[in-house]
Amino acid sequence: MEGLVEFVSNLTTAQIVGYFWPFFLLDMFRYVIVDAVVITGYLVQQSFSTKEKRAARHALFAEYPLVSIIVPGKNEGKHIPKLVKTLSKQTYKNIEFIVVDDGSDDNTAIICRRLEAQGKISKFISNRIRGGKASGANTALAFSKGKYIIHIDADSYLKTNAIEEILLPFFRYANIGAVGGDVRVANMKETFATRLQGIEYFKTISSGRVAATELGILRIISGAHGAFRRDVLNKIQGWDVGPGLDGDITLKIRKLGYDVVHSVDAVCYTNAPTKFKTLAKQRYRWDKSLIRFRLRKHIDILKPSATFRESNMFSVLENILFNLLLDIKWFIYFAVLIISYPENLGYVMIINYVLYLIANIIQYIFVIAIVGRKETLSTTVLFLPLMPFYTGLFLRAIRTYSYIMEILHKTSYDDAWNPWKVSKVAKKNKL
């Protein structure tokens, strides 16, 4: 301890920059300073926007359009009754509920047909041959009649006003193509892994996507709870196959010139993986999408064209910079430390941990300001000291491995999450 105190007390400004430049020049600037300024502006704006919200709500209920809730999934029957229950309690009632069973081999069909007979599911479609989640979503879209389409994961459920809140931005702002709902961890108290994911979701979704919306660079509408204009979905011909369905369709909508926004008040709860092994597999699949969709399929978003938009370019560049290039940066950084400053490596690592812990605490203060204290403080705050290890080591290791495998082997096309025949066609057509 004395050695650490002596090391810190003798640090010069040049040494601070040399030892900790990734934090001060990159992470602190982007995720603490920029987000703090943007979210503060958002909170101030919200306090003066009551009249606008009231007008949007009035316009929504005056038109009262039909809304189609679509849920594609495989072996998800056990979750549907709870989702049905939350839909029945929604403040917005003009909805139809369509479930597509994507080749299930459990009792999904029995459960859903019973609910359909009871009038709790508007339409149940059973695909005996599995086509993948995108196929299920497109099937539901084809049978739906609503002006707005809300895609929900089967293992999710909604807060009572979630549908109303996710629709409001369409009536409040011009040129909105899609709205993302706020996804939170339903089983946060279940395991060690779910508690850490609970904090992560609060930071990256509840707070992070609010900041991204304000900056005009929101790049993902979550499949767990996302609302789309039907006419926009028709223009882009629905969902394409891939591990990053959510980010892919969001970029397709942005490329058409529409805006996408996040609604933090449209709350959806989803079940997160309870084990780190299962979580690693999930994130391995998710992370491959950056390479497949940002660097391959949608790389044209960076090129000057008739439909070029600076906000789209910055959205993708920010994603590539802070997730891919700066991921590589960490390995270079550690290599330099080991080679140049081996005697101080332990001290530098301890200080890095403290700096990132402080950053996490500051970020979480803004989460509390947005979401409220009741939900954010009761179950997660004591786990904040573990977040630098969770995000900085565990998730980074998975992300790095997924990038390498996707760049070298295009492994997303071999993922069992999609039927191999479907992935084969997607690979051929570069989807």
Side-chain angles (χ1 to χ4, degrees):
M1 189 65 179
E2 292 181 3
L4 177 60
V5 172
E6 182 180 356
F7 175 75
V8 172
S9 62
N10 290 327
L11 282 175
T12 65
T13 302
Q15 287 176 321
I16 292 174
V17 174
Y19 283 131
F20 309 111
W21 63 268
F23 176 79
F24 288 110
L25 299 183
L26 298 169
D27 294 321
M28 180 179 177
F29 174 74
R30 169 61 185 90
Y31 295 112
V32 179
I33 296 176
V34 171
D35 279 11
V37 171
V38 170
I39 292 173
T40 299
Y42 164 81
L43 292 171
V44 171
Q45 182 187 44
Q46 290 302 299
S47 65
F48 291 99
S49 61
T50 304
K51 187 176 180 180
E52 291 180 20
K53 291 179 183 177
R54 189 183 302 118
R57 205 176 307 275
H58 176 77
L60 167 63
F61 281 94
E63 181 181 334
Y64 208 51
L66 177 65
V67 176
S68 300
I69 314 295
I70 65 172
V71 177
K74 179 184 178 182
N75 294 339
E76 299 282 9
K78 61 184 178 181
H79 299 296
I80 298 298
K82 188 169 187 177
L83 178 55
V84 163
K85 186 176 180 180
T86 64
L87 290 177
S88 68
K89 295 180 179 180
Q90 289 296 306
T91 56
Y92 191 88
K93 302 294 184 182
N94 192 19
I95 62 175
E96 62 172 1
F97 182 32
I98 301 174
V99 178
V100 176
D101 175 16
D102 186 36
S104 294
D105 50 21
D106 64 353
N107 61 349
T108 293
I110 297 173
I111 293 172
C112 290
R113 287 199 177 102
R114 183 179 69 245
L115 291 170
E116 184 181 30
Q118 295 171 354
K120 295 178 180 179
I121 291 179
S122 305
K123 191 170 191 62
F124 172 67
I125 304 165
S126 182
N127 292 334
R128 294 187 178 182
I129 299 176
R130 182 170 170 246
K133 192 170 184 179
S135 174
N138 290 328
T139 299
L141 175 63
F143 281 91
S144 67
K145 301 175 182 177
K147 181 178 180 180
Y148 298 98
I149 311 296
I150 298 181
H151 186 292
I152 301 176
D153 282 348
D155 63 346
S156 303
Y157 61 92
L158 304 177
K159 205 168 181 178
T160 307
N161 64 343
I163 293 178
E164 178 182 338
E165 290 292 340
I166 205 170
L167 292 173
L168 287 179
F170 292 111
F171 292 83
R172 185 177 175 188
Y173 306 107
N175 202 46
I176 299 296
V179 181
D182 204 60
V183 182
R184 303 175 190 176
V185 176
N187 56 337
M188 188 156 44
K189 298 180 181 180
E190 190 169 346
T191 67
F192 188 56
T194 58
R195 289 181 185 273
L196 294 178
Q197 289 173 83
I199 298 176
E200 179 197 5
Y201 275 49
F202 277 135
K203 285 176 51 189
T204 60
I205 299 178
S206 301
S207 176
R209 291 185 188 175
V210 165
T213 295
E214 294 301 299
L215 291 169
I217 61 171
L218 182 65
R219 57 180 172 267
I220 186 166
I221 299 296
S222 176
H225 190 206
F228 307 87
R229 279 171 42 182
R230 165 182 288 281
D231 61 326
V232 173
L233 287 180
N234 288 339
K235 286 180 182 179
I236 60 175
Q237 299 181 324
W239 285 264
D240 289 343
V241 176
L245 290 170
D246 312 342
D248 177 42
I249 197 168
T250 307
L251 286 183
K252 287 170 66 178
I253 292 170
R254 291 190 65 115
K255 285 165 73 172
L256 282 181
Y258 294 100
D259 296 326
V260 294
V261 298
H262 181 73
S263 176
V264 74
D265 296 319
V267 180
C268 167
Y269 294 96
T270 191
N271 288 300
T274 58
K275 299 179 180 179
F276 284 105
K277 183 178 180 179
T278 310
L279 174 60
K281 290 181 179 179
Q282 180 199 65
R283 298 310 171 88
Y284 174 60
R285 173 169 58 83
W286 286 5
D287 289 335
K288 287 182 288 189
S289 64
L290 183 144
I291 306 299
R292 178 167 166 178
F293 295 112
R294 270 46 164 205
L295 292 186
R296 292 198 194 112
K297 183 176 179 179
H298 295 295
I299 193 66
D300 61 313
I301 212 169
L302 305 178
K303 302 174 183 178
S305 66
T307 58
F308 177 81
R309 294 176 74 194
E310 289 183 354
S311 60
N312 289 347
M313 179 190 71
F314 286 127
S315 175
V316 171
L317 280 179
E318 194 258 359
N319 191 204
I320 294 172
L321 174 63
F322 283 92
N323 287 277
L324 176 61
L325 298 182
L326 295 189
D327 195 62
I328 298 171
K329 166 266 302 180
W330 276 106
F331 293 94
I332 298 173
Y333 172 69
F334 285 129
V336 171
L337 285 179
I338 293 170
I339 295 171
S340 303
Y341 313 105
E343 69 282 0
N344 295 325
L345 183 61
Y347 297 145
V348 173
M349 292 290 81
I350 292 172
I351 296 171
N352 262 312
Y353 166 76
V354 172
L355 290 174
Y356 281 96
L357 174 59
I358 293 171
N360 271 274
I361 292 171
I362 294 173
Q363 289 173 312
Y364 211 67
I365 289 172
F366 283 98
V367 169
I368 294 169
I370 293 172
V371 176
R373 291 183 295 176
K374 183 178 180 180
E375 189 168 355
T376 54
L377 291 178
S378 60
T379 57
T380 61
V381 70
L382 294 178
F383 289 80
L384 273 174
L386 299 176
M387 289 304 291
F389 299 109
Y390 172 69
T391 57
L393 297 178
F394 177 71
L395 293 184
R396 177 166 285 115
I398 298 168
R399 189 162 59 241
T400 302
Y401 179 68
S402 69
Y403 291 166
I404 292 172
M405 295 300 291
E406 184 64 20
I407 290 172
L408 297 179
H409 305 292
K410 296 184 178 181
T411 52
S412 64
Y413 293 102
D414 301 320
D415 200 315
W417 189 72
N418 277 314
W420 70 269
K421 291 182 179 180
V422 177
S423 289
K424 184 178 179 180
V425 173
K427 187 174 183 179
K428 181 181 179 180
N429 296 322
K430 297 181 180 180
L431 294 176

